[in-house]
């Protein structure tokens, strides 16, 4: 085995010490070393955004970054978006607006949207579309995704004035929504 | 991808020593948005990959109205766009940096990397040339300043010698009534490689609005980015009217040497050089008058 190195980083808020080869991309390290397989491999050229993670507040294609470069950084992946069993409001809105079909692009879209809303809680539609322009979806199309992000932003703004919660709903509620959606689909 | 040794120096001294020690076996890693693709494809095979993003000189934007701009070679494009001085005083370079790929790419990719990658279609390079940017290069034999228009030698090849590192760009302080602009043509709205790119910088006279200084640079219409010196020179001392702009556009076309490829024919590219030269000059002038 080639020379492995120790990398100390923070992933989804937890300090992590991992062993990887310098040639491994962050995406490979996440998926193959840490078994965090939520980030998807699409094009490996930075065009599709399926591997998007958030590094120190900025969206990044994890396929175009070496794992060793994560040393000392704060890495957020799709696995850290929900709080325990409670989905993040973005995840809930993606379900409510049926913003996914095959779903392989979804983790990347969610992380790009998360990076946007953390920086700009009240984006215009143009700002949302610009922020998501590095994420490609080949089956759902973009309108439903944009609607979900718009709704999530509004919901988070409304909620922040009422409760201290970050806009999460229980996973059971959300999976109930999925069942409903699937049931509706069968009616056709 | 082949096995590599990864180095991450914390100082310029340390980086220069590493680059010198490994010579042509080493490649600097800035945002990695070109390099990682090349490593994976096997088109570049450095044994040593030297991350230059932990070096202060390479990662800072330092600006003053007196001394102008020092732009670190590894500053990510998004930080250029987020910098108020950059947007105000160098809007052309800023818009070029903000055109490179998606936000994911701009969060990593740098103007220095864009130049060192050596693509004739690099968006930031014509904007740098228009501003008269000088590249500060440090290597085992000391340091030198290279005008950006002389930096690229051929597609993928630059003046950097083994062991040398591009540290930062020095860009003159903005004059009064001066500004810049960069425009490119791509067949869709965003996220594509320039078919043609044109950068222009203008200084207009305070009293009579005549052109005092001008630089025009072209991208994607030759093996390297091109300084259209004759086109810019033709404007000096003249009011920037339609005749002067048309003449400069004609000279810019003459300075270009495009090829036919999948992005466009040479004939189409020559036409677009004219169109974009007229538009960038008008835009730079409009900004200079603000």
């Amino acid at each position: 085995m080639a020379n492995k190195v120790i990398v100390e980083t923070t992933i989804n808020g937890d300090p992590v010490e991992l062993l990887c080869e310098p040639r491994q991309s962050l995406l490979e390290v996440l998926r193959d070393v840490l078994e965090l397989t939520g980030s998807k491999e699409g094009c490996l050229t930075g065009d599709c955004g399926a591997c998007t993670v958030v590094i120190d507040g900025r969206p990044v294609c994890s396929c175009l970054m070496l794992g060793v470069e994560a040393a000392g950084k704060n890495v957020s992946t799709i696995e850290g978006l929900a709080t325990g069993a409670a989905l993040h409001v973005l995840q809930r809105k993606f379900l409510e607006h049926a913003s996914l079909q095959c779903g392989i692009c979804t983790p990347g879209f969610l992380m790009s949207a998360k990076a946007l809303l953390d920086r700009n809680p009240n984006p215009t539609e143009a700002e949302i579309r610009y922020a998501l322009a590095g994420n490609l979806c080949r089956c759902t199309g973009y309108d439903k995704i944009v609607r979900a992000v718009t709704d999530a932003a509004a919901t988070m703004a409304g909620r922040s004035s009422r409760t201290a919660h970050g806009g999460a709903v229980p996973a059971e509620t959300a999976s109930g929504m999925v069942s409903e959606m699937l049931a509706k689909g069968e009616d056709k | 991808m082949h096995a590599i040794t990864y180095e991450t120096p914390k100082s310029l001294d340390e980086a220069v020593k590493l680059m010198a020690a490994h010579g042509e076996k080493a490649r600097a890693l800035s945002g990695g948005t070109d390099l990682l693709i090349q490593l994976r494809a096997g088109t570049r095979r450095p044994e040593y990959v030297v991350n230059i993003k932990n070096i202060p000189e390479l990662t800072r934007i330092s600006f003053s109205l007196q001394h102008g701009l020092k732009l670190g070679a590894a500053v990510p494009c998004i930080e250029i766009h987020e910098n108020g001085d950059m947007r105000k005083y160098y809007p052309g370079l800023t818009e070029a940096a903000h055109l490179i790929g998606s936000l994911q790419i701009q969060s990593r990719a740098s103007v220095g990397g864009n130049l060192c990658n050596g693509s004739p279609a690099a968006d930031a390079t014509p904007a740098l040339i228009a501003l008269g940017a000088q590249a500060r290069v440090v290597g085992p034999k000391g340091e030198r300043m290279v005008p950006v228009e002389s930096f690229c030698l051929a597609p993928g090849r630059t003046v950097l010698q083994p062991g040398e590192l591009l540290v930062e760009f020095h860009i003159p302080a903005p004059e009064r009534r001066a500004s810049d602009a960069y425009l490119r043509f791509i067949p869709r709205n965003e996220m594509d490689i320039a078919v043609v790119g044109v950068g222009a910088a203008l200084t207009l006279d305070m009293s009579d609005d005549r052109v005092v200084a001008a630089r025009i640079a072209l991208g994607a219409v030759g093996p390297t980015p091109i300084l259209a010196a004759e086109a810019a020179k033709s404007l000096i001392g003249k009011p920037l009217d339609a005749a002067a702009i048309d003449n400069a556009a004609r000279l810019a076309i003459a300075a270009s040497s495009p090829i036919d490829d999948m992005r466009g024919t040479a004939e189409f590219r020559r036409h677009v050089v004219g169109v974009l030269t007229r538009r960038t000059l008008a835009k730079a002038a409009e900004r200079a008058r603000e």
Side-chain angles (χ1 to χ4, degrees), chain A residues 2-3 21-25 28 44-47 49 52 55 58-66 68-69 73 108 112 119 130-135, chain B residues 1-6 29-34 36-37 39-40 49 51 53-54 76 78-79 82 98-99 101-108 190-191:
Chain A
N3 53 338
E21 288 182 58
R23 67 174 166 186
Q24 286 182 294
S25 69
E28 288 171 294
L44 288 182
T45 52
D47 292 289
T52 301
I55 312 267
R58 296 200 188 277
V60 164
C61 292
S62 59
C63 75
L64 291 188
M65 174 172 167
L66 295 173
V68 286
E69 290 183 87
K73 307 276 185 205
S112 286
R119 235 163 235 283
Y130 186 84
L132 300 181
N135 294 83
Chain B
M1 192 191 293
H2 67 282
I4 55 171
T5 299
Y6 173 78
L29 169 65
S30 181
T33 55
D34 287 310
L36 258 73
I37 294 169
L39 294 177
R40 215 172 260 139
V49 169
N51 177 14
K53 293 187 293 297
N54 293 317
I78 195 71
E79 286 184 22
E82 287 172 358
H98 201 42
L99 274 177
S102 60
L103 285 184
Q104 285 96 318
I105 301 301
Q106 286 172 31
S107 296
R108 302 284 294 169
E190 297 283 351
M191 316 290 151

Side-chain angles (χ1 to χ4, degrees), chain B residues 114-130 147-158 182 197-199 216-229 255-257:
Chain B
N114 199 218
L115 180 63
C116 290
N117 187 51
S119 164
D123 284 306
T125 307
L128 286 171
I129 295 172
V148 171
E149 60 267 28
S150 309
F151 198 89
C152 296
L153 301 175
R157 269 198 336 122
T158 70
Y182 174 79
V198 177
I216 299 169
L218 317 175
V221 287
T224 64
I226 294 164
L227 172 67
S256 71
S257 56

